Amino acid sequence: MIIIPNIRLAAAADAGPIAWMSREYIEYGLGWSWTEQRVLKAIRDRSTNVAVIHERGSIMGFGIMSYGELKAHLSLLGVEPARRQRGLGAALLGWLEKCALTAGLERIHLEARADNPGAIAFYEEQGYRPIGTVAGYYRGTVDAIRLEKRLGRQPAS
Ligand SMILES: CC(C)(COP(=O)(O)OP(=O)(O)OC[C@H]1O[C@@H](n2cnc3c(N)ncnc32)[C@H](O)[C@@H]1OP(=O)(O)O)[C@@H](O)C(=O)NCCC(=O)NCCS
């Protein structure tokens, strides 16, 4: 039987597992800023979507995107190591981007650790372009590459 993963908005009970994934997959070596309380705040924030991708009740990945008037900001995106390179990250990002498109936003920004070339390659594959470097963005110790994706209608070919 083939199980197709589903994407849904996170519930309060997902805050703990999401915070754990953030610490393990994204904030390694930096200390822990996306604690359970902070994730819970994001889940309850009306201008933020916290999405999870799950299969048979088990969370395999998550993403957090905030929506402003003109632009959205992707705060976090992570997929369980054993499930990577299977399209789950792209599916989660696409789900969050669709909300930005539907809201008529112009662009999406995000920062990725400069020491994480795999993530930068992933974002470039999803249509994001590097627009700058932010020195010491993470706790003053790790630089960030800022990336941007412009939304809106593509010219007809
Ligand atoms: C970045 C991340 C979310 C990508 O998730 P994923 O489910 O593995 O990505 P996908 O399978 O959807 O990848 C889509 C495409 O992106 C590219 N890509 C993905 N991971 C890549 C890597 N490590 N190196 C180079 N290209 C990569 C590939 O072109 C891939 O397509 P392909 O598998 O058909 O070649 C995942 O690697 C991850 O959780 N990393 C740790 C946390 C992290 O760095 N998060 C981002 C910063 S917040």
Side-chain angles (χ1 to χ4, degrees):
M1 182 171 58
I2 297 171
I3 310 281
I4 299 172
N6 294 300
I7 298 176
R8 62 164 168 79
L9 284 173
D14 300 319
I18 290 171
W20 182 86
M21 286 190 278
S22 177
R23 191 186 61 191
E24 296 295 313
Y25 307 161
I26 301 163
E27 299 191 88
Y28 49 86
L30 292 175
W32 193 15
S33 77
W34 282 90
T35 59
E36 183 171 348
Q37 279 309 310
R38 187 174 178 194
V39 174
L40 198 55
K41 199 170 164 199
I43 289 172
R44 292 180 174 150
D45 179 6
R46 296 178 67 173
S47 61
T48 300
N49 277 343
V50 181
V52 292
I53 192 159
H54 61 101
E55 184 185 270
R56 292 178 167 173
S58 160
I59 295 177
M60 302 180 296
F62 74 101
I64 301 180
M65 189 178 282
S66 299
Y67 304 88
E69 283 190 17
L70 294 177
K71 65 180 185 184
H73 182 257
L74 182 74
S75 300
L76 296 174
L77 184 75
V79 171
E80 197 184 346
R83 311 283 188 150
R84 289 181 192 163
Q85 308 276 354
R86 298 185 191 180
L88 301 187
L92 262 170
L93 184 58
W95 193 95
L96 291 163
E97 286 179 348
K98 202 170 169 188
C99 303
L101 261 175
T102 306
L105 303 192
E106 291 176 357
R107 57 195 192 278
I108 302 174
H109 277 183
L110 64 89
E111 290 81 28
R113 291 174 64 139
D115 62 1
N116 187 355
I120 293 165
F122 163 79
Y123 288 124
E124 290 190 316
E125 179 69 25
Q126 307 310 311
Y128 289 76
R129 295 291 162 254
I131 55 169
T133 302
V134 191
Y137 181 81
Y138 300 101
R139 303 259 166 155
T141 56
V142 178
D143 297 346
I145 305 297
R146 183 162 285 151
L147 295 109
E148 176 187 85
K149 182 173 186 173
R150 293 198 164 266
L151 304 173
R153 293 174 200 277
Q154 302 300 317
S157 53

